[in-house]
Amino acid sequence: MKKSIPIFIFMLIFSVFLQAQERSVTTSVVDESGTPITGASIIVKGTTKGGITDFDGNLTLNAGSGSILSISSLGYKNQEVNVGSKTAIKVVLIEDISQLDEVVVVAYGTQKKETVTSSIVEIKSEKLADVTTPEVATMLQGKIAGVQILPDTGSPGDSPSIIIRGRSSINSTNSPLWVLDGVIIGNSDPKLNPNDVESISVLKDASATALYGNRGANGVIIVTTKRGKIGSKPQVSVSLKSAINQFNPGKFEVMNSQQLYDYQAELGNQNPWFAPDLLDRDYDWIDGATQDAFVKDASITFTSATETHNLFLSTGYYNEEGTVIGNELNRYTFRTNLDYNISDRLTIKPKLNFVFDRRDATNEASLYEAYLNLPWDLPFAADGSVVNASDAQGDDWLGRDKRNFFYDRQWNYTDSRSFDFFGSFDFEYKLLPNLTYVSTNNFRWGNYESFSYTDPRSNGGRTTNGSINDFTFRGLYRFTNQMLKYSNTFNENHTVNVLAGYEYNDSSTKNVSTTSENVVVNGKVQSVGLKPAAANGDASEFAQQSVLVSADYDYKAKYFVKGSVRVDGASAFAKDYRYGEFYSVAAGWNIHKEDFFNVKQINALKLRASHGAVGNQPGGFGFLSTYDVKFQYAGLIAAKPLRLGTENLTWEKAIESNAGIDATLFGAIDLTVDYYNKENSGLLYFRALSDQTGFSGRYENIGSITNKGIEVAASADLVNKEDFGINVGFNISFNKNEVKELADGTDIIGGSTIIREGEEFGTFYMRKWLGVNPGDGTPVYEVVDKTTGERSTTNDYNSATVQIVGTSNPDFTGGFNTSIRYKAFSLSSNWSFSYGSELYNSSRNLFDSDGFYLQFNQMVLPKGWSRWEKPGDLVTHPKPRDGGYPGSNQTSTRYLEDGSYLRLNNVRLSYNLPQSALGRLGIVGASIYLTGDNLVTFTKFSGVDPTVGGANGFTSLGYPIPRRYALGLNITF
């Protein structure tokens, strides 16, 4: 006992000494944007001493110089900091994506990521904000395996086409279903301020989409808008962005004056107007029709979140000029989301959102014409006035169509406006501790008006002495879903979630179009026209009701199963075919939670499998016979047959199986692999009927198409330190498409494509171009003997065999991204690619015509292409001659090109301004950034853009996606 007394005294003295060395240390905890983190836990390592940060992200406690502070907060990676001699410490917590993704948005709710059994990818807002765009779909480009984003045009505000796991419908839509905050919107990109988006979930397999029943066959995209963060101080965030768009012609180039003169001299132009003085004229029509355009994007948001309310307010303005002169978009948005806890049981969730668009377009300003017009035709006279080409005499205007679009563009224009209003009153009521009633109620009002003016002085208005056209569309859409949700955990190991709901939605639309002629100059209303010329309009109504049930069970988050059933009834079908059943079953296994699993390099490993049936609903009322009543007989209104109804018509059905693996390796690599097999049956097709029937045709369910594929997605933190980090991501998808069945096995030939059993959907069917005869420079085509299959050649286009020559489906598609951060700087990039598809460049039949179109401009041959000059030349093009060669510029594989590409979608460099400088100004955080969109595309395709308008395998000189450079500033108060 006596020995222990000195030891005790020594320890007491030493403890007092340590106490004397401790001092007050203030720790400030913020996120990467400089926003204070409220409720972060700070503990002196090895002790019980600690606390949580206040509203300003600060905590003061006593610590010694040798102490280590451990800082943690939900959604962020833990950090440890050595106190040393510091009395004030600032800690920047890095978001932990694995934690943030623990709960993902799924059909009609959320689910723990570790128990998800379906193919679902969720992307948070911070991964979506790299591009400058007024619409949501473009934000997904290159970021999700199996999802192709293909722009239709580069016109301001136009939405791209989206294809998930291949095309599978002939006459119905191939677009996914959009769901916005629980409300089913339809198959078009919702008009939404991208700055309002919190996350986007893409549901790819039938198990994930089965709860959307007869509209889930093409995948589902769920958009969740922002809310405040409970515990954070009220904040105002301002986002400002300015950008410059540049016209991006790709590799496509037409000839200047000298090049065109040399070309026509080579083909032997004998016209009297073809003389050297043409070289005195050289107008660049593309330069005249396009411009460097400006983009302005501004939004302000306010968030306030407490235990009783969660408020999000947002307003935005987006303005984009088109790179083709005369096109402009102005968009105004407003949104308010409120979650208000009236009591412990009742929460109301009202939402209001409106979008106002105004689009201006100049008539008679076709980009196609700018490419076609000759450089020898000058659109402006010496005094600067616009030349009227149609009145030009002699050789003053050489272009075939004698059109100077600058002339009519002085007066003619189109102005369109739309107003979309979304109103929701949702609420949740907790009936029992584990049973909640969820009510979603929404109505949408859409109004669209367009005004088109053709001036009496313009060439387009000569025959009518000017005209005015007004078009008005109005639509009312209602949606309601009443749902019971039950969730409970038994004995800490067994978790059960069940939902059951009733859903109803309907729509009513109407449009009217009126035209008057012989109008007053600069008139803006129909009453200034002396002659009412046309009036058209139609209206439609649609309704659907549904019942849905879903249940899932998991044991210790180790084994889990899920099933769902939905019954839909739609007014688009006949009475006996109105209802259909859709279902899904799925199971999963977290192998890494098993006792026998002891692989240190594998942190998580999950197997999952699913099977389900969903539908694709055709538009219109194909079961009804329709008649045309817009004509008269013997002075009376009469009706004639138009379309024959099909009583047993029903929706297309997709049955899909999916198997997947999710893994985390070495604590830094996330890997997902999926295999799927989807068969779409009952494909809708409009079959033409004999004229003897009196009907043009009828809709039928005629066959099936399968899509099989493998998807791989991976991301890795190569370096993850406090001041330095490198992250990379990659995804790739292989899809094989096949037509399995057609009615009576009969081929469906349409233009240059064929739908045939055993072939891919998207198969090209045309004559095969074999190149140029080295002996005489004439075109050569392939002939296939129908009996023997023997192949031979011919110079006669009409004698060549029409045959299967390729497919528009790529072998694989995907994307990859990189992200590097160093202290306050970050640099990211996003790429997308497609390989193996063939793309028909239909514009080349005009611009690459071997002399057939003498009075149109021609394309400059890309590098590696050449024309025949003398016997023995091995070239890609015949010797040009006046009038061309019979059939040489008609449909053949000559214009079928490799549509593969690798595109740099976006590069972004950002800098977070130091908090020390901002705090004195009352600014919580600020960042400035530079971005570049659509910077470079690597492709063999000779046209403007291999992605524009190429969703079905055909493209021409569409409006290209601009190259864009932007400067932005984000400030939070």
Side-chain angles (χ1 to χ4, degrees), residues 193 296-299 315-320 328-333:
N193 185 345
K296 296 181 283 290
D297 187 6
S299 66
T315 184
Y317 170 68
Y318 183 91
N319 169 262
E320 180 179 350
E328 186 174 4
L329 166 69
N330 283 281
R331 174 170 290 180
Y332 304 84
T333 61

Side-chain angles (χ1 to χ4, degrees), residues 388-464:
N388 187 356
S390 65
D391 292 338
Q393 301 298 315
D395 300 336
D396 291 340
W397 198 274
L398 300 173
R400 188 192 72 172
D401 298 329
K402 286 205 168 186
R403 280 178 54 83
N404 176 10
F405 58 76
F406 288 107
Y407 185 78
D408 280 14
R409 201 172 70 178
Q410 297 175 101
W411 308 291
N412 300 347
Y413 67 94
T414 297
D415 177 19
S416 65
R417 307 181 186 202
S418 65
F419 181 81
D420 294 274
F421 181 82
F422 301 73
S424 292
F425 186 80
D426 308 339
F427 64 89
E428 295 183 6
Y429 187 78
K430 186 172 289 188
L431 299 170
L432 297 170
N434 303 106
L435 182 64
T436 304
Y437 174 60
V438 181
S439 181
T440 303
N441 309 281
N442 172 270
F443 77 90
R444 293 180 287 137
W445 170 256
N447 184 80
Y448 173 83
E449 298 178 357
S450 70
F451 172 82
S452 182
Y453 170 76
T454 304
D455 194 276
R457 295 165 291 182
S458 68
N459 292 319
R462 280 185 173 183
T463 58
T464 61

Side-chain angles (χ1 to χ4, degrees), residues 769-832:
W769 165 277
L770 295 181
V772 178
N773 185 335
D776 58 11
T778 58
V780 180
Y781 305 92
E782 184 172 83
V783 178
V784 181
D785 189 284
K786 294 182 179 180
T787 304
T788 65
E790 182 181 352
R791 299 178 183 271
S792 58
T793 63
T794 180
N795 295 109
D796 181 14
Y797 174 84
N798 293 321
S799 299
T801 303
V802 180
Q803 57 183 298
I804 290 175
V805 293
T807 175
S808 60
N809 299 311
D811 295 334
F812 57 83
T813 62
F816 59 92
N817 59 79
T818 63
S819 177
I820 302 173
R821 58 175 176 82
Y822 176 70
K823 294 186 177 180
F825 291 91
S826 64
L827 176 66
S828 64
S829 70
N830 173 257
W831 300 72
S832 62

Side-chain angles (χ1 to χ4, degrees), residues 203-224:
L203 284 54
K204 296 188 286 186
D205 69 335
S207 171
T209 65
L211 276 180
Y212 295 102
N214 64 3
R215 288 176 285 189
N218 299 313
V220 178
I221 299 177
I222 302 176
V223 181
T224 303

Side-chain angles (χ1 to χ4, degrees), residues 40 109 143 332 376 902:
K143 296 173 182 174
Y332 304 84
W376 302 323
L902 170 63

Side-chain angles (χ1 to χ4, degrees), residues 103-310:
V103 177
V104 298
V105 176
V106 298
Y108 295 97
T110 59
Q111 187 176 354
K112 288 184 179 180
K113 184 176 181 179
E114 66 175 353
T115 66
V116 170
T117 53
S118 305
S119 183
I120 298 174
V121 177
E122 184 181 58
I123 302 181
K124 298 291 186 179
S125 58
E126 59 269 17
K127 298 293 185 181
L128 296 168
D130 49 359
V131 296
T132 302
T133 176
E135 42 79 27
V136 177
T138 300
M139 301 165 73
L140 299 174
Q141 194 168 39
K143 296 173 182 174
I144 302 177
V147 179
Q148 285 183 276
I149 310 295
L150 299 172
D152 293 327
T153 77
S155 182
D158 279 7
S159 296
S161 297
I162 303 176
I163 300 174
I164 299 177
R165 291 186 168 179
R167 292 179 294 149
S168 53
S169 182
I170 301 173
N171 286 148
S172 291
T173 181
N174 283 290
S175 299
L177 180 71
W178 288 83
V179 178
L180 176 60
D181 286 333
V183 178
I184 294 176
I185 301 298
N187 297 105
S188 59
D189 183 358
K191 292 181 179 179
L192 180 68
N193 185 345
N195 291 308
D196 293 349
V197 175
E198 175 63 29
S199 68
I200 297 178
S201 287
V202 179
L203 284 54
K204 296 188 286 186
D205 69 335
S207 171
T209 65
L211 276 180
Y212 295 102
N214 64 3
R215 288 176 285 189
N218 299 313
V220 178
I221 299 177
I222 302 176
V223 181
T224 303
T225 56
K226 290 179 178 178
R227 304 290 193 278
K229 294 182 179 179
I230 296 177
S232 298
K233 295 176 63 177
Q235 290 185 345
V236 175
S237 297
V238 179
S239 175
L240 303 172
K241 187 185 299 184
S242 294
I244 296 177
N245 285 349
Q246 291 183 342
F247 184 72
N248 190 8
K251 292 183 175 182
F252 190 79
E253 181 185 359
V254 291
M255 296 180 180
N256 60 28
S257 181
Q258 182 68 61
Q259 291 168 323
L260 186 61
Y261 186 87
D262 294 342
Y263 169 78
Q264 297 214 7
E266 184 181 358
L267 61 82
N269 190 337
Q270 299 298 317
N271 288 285
W273 51 263
F274 185 68
D277 60 359
L278 289 175
L279 297 176
D280 296 334
R281 296 184 273 176
D282 188 10
Y283 183 74
D284 189 338
W285 284 90
I286 306 303
D287 184 66
T290 62
Q291 63 181 354
D292 286 345
F294 292 95
V295 179
K296 296 181 283 290
D297 187 6
S299 66
I300 301 175
T301 63
F302 170 78
T303 57
S304 176
T306 67
E307 295 298 330
T308 60
H309 77 271
N310 193 323

Side-chain angles (χ1 to χ4, degrees), residues 584-871:
S584 74
V585 291
W589 178 24
N590 274 328
I591 302 175
H592 63 278
K593 292 194 174 184
E594 296 287 358
D595 294 337
F596 65 77
F597 189 86
N598 188 25
V599 182
K600 294 182 179 180
Q601 294 84 357
I602 302 178
N603 310 100
L605 179 63
K606 177 172 68 175
L607 298 181
R608 49 185 168 78
S610 65
H611 179 79
V614 286
N616 190 22
Q617 185 179 131
F621 295 80
F623 73 96
L624 294 173
S625 295
T626 59
Y627 296 84
D628 183 3
V629 296
K630 293 188 292 185
F631 75 103
Q632 296 182 10
Y633 180 78
L636 300 174
I637 296 176
K640 68 176 181 179
L642 182 63
R643 186 190 71 200
L644 182 63
T646 305
E647 183 72 14
N648 62 350
L649 194 72
T650 186
W651 40 67
E652 302 174 352
K653 180 171 284 190
I655 298 177
E656 182 175 8
S657 298
N658 192 98
I661 300 174
D662 300 320
T664 300
L665 312 175
F666 307 104
I669 302 173
D670 291 323
L671 175 68
T672 296
V673 181
D674 277 280
Y675 168 79
Y676 61 89
N677 186 341
K678 178 174 66 171
E679 180 173 1
N680 288 63
S681 59
L683 301 180
L684 191 72
Y685 179 71
F686 187 77
R687 185 185 295 278
L689 296 176
S690 168
D691 292 340
Q692 295 177 343
T693 65
F695 293 94
S696 61
R698 66 186 299 179
Y699 283 104
E700 298 179 359
N701 299 105
I702 60 139
S704 66
I705 292 175
T706 62
N707 281 279
K708 300 178 182 179
I710 295 175
E711 298 169 349
V712 180
S715 65
D717 288 321
L718 302 182
V719 179
N720 189 14
K721 297 182 179 180
E722 180 179 353
D723 289 335
F724 181 59
I726 301 176
N727 176 271
V728 296
F730 175 80
N731 70 81
I732 190 170
S733 174
F734 302 85
N735 182 76
K736 181 64 175 178
N737 176 292
E738 183 181 351
V739 178
K740 297 293 291 185
E741 181 184 357
L742 293 173
D744 303 321
T746 303
D747 295 344
I748 299 174
I749 300 174
S752 305
T753 63
I754 186 171
I755 303 175
R756 174 180 289 176
E757 289 184 358
E759 300 292 342
E760 294 188 39
F761 177 53
T763 295
F764 290 108
Y765 191 65
M766 61 185 68
R767 292 170 173 84
K768 182 179 288 187
W769 165 277
L770 295 181
V772 178
N773 185 335
D776 58 11
T778 58
V780 180
Y781 305 92
E782 184 172 83
V783 178
V784 181
D785 189 284
K786 294 182 179 180
T787 304
T788 65
E790 182 181 352
R791 299 178 183 271
S792 58
T793 63
T794 180
N795 295 109
D796 181 14
Y797 174 84
N798 293 321
S799 299
T801 303
V802 180
Q803 57 183 298
I804 290 175
V805 293
T807 175
S808 60
N809 299 311
D811 295 334
F812 57 83
T813 62
F816 59 92
N817 59 79
T818 63
S819 177
I820 302 173
R821 58 175 176 82
Y822 176 70
K823 294 186 177 180
F825 291 91
S826 64
L827 176 66
S828 64
S829 70
N830 173 257
W831 300 72
S832 62
F833 58 83
S834 175
Y835 178 82
S837 65
E838 291 176 289
L839 188 59
Y840 191 82
N841 189 351
S842 59
S843 59
R844 278 181 57 198
N845 96 305
L846 295 177
F847 297 98
D848 188 10
S849 67
D850 305 325
F852 186 85
Y853 291 106
L854 191 65
Q855 291 171 293
F856 286 161
N857 203 351
Q858 297 294 289
M859 65 184 288
V860 176
L861 296 188
K863 184 179 180 180
W865 293 12
S866 57
R867 302 186 192 278
W868 188 90
E869 294 180 356
K870 63 183 184 302

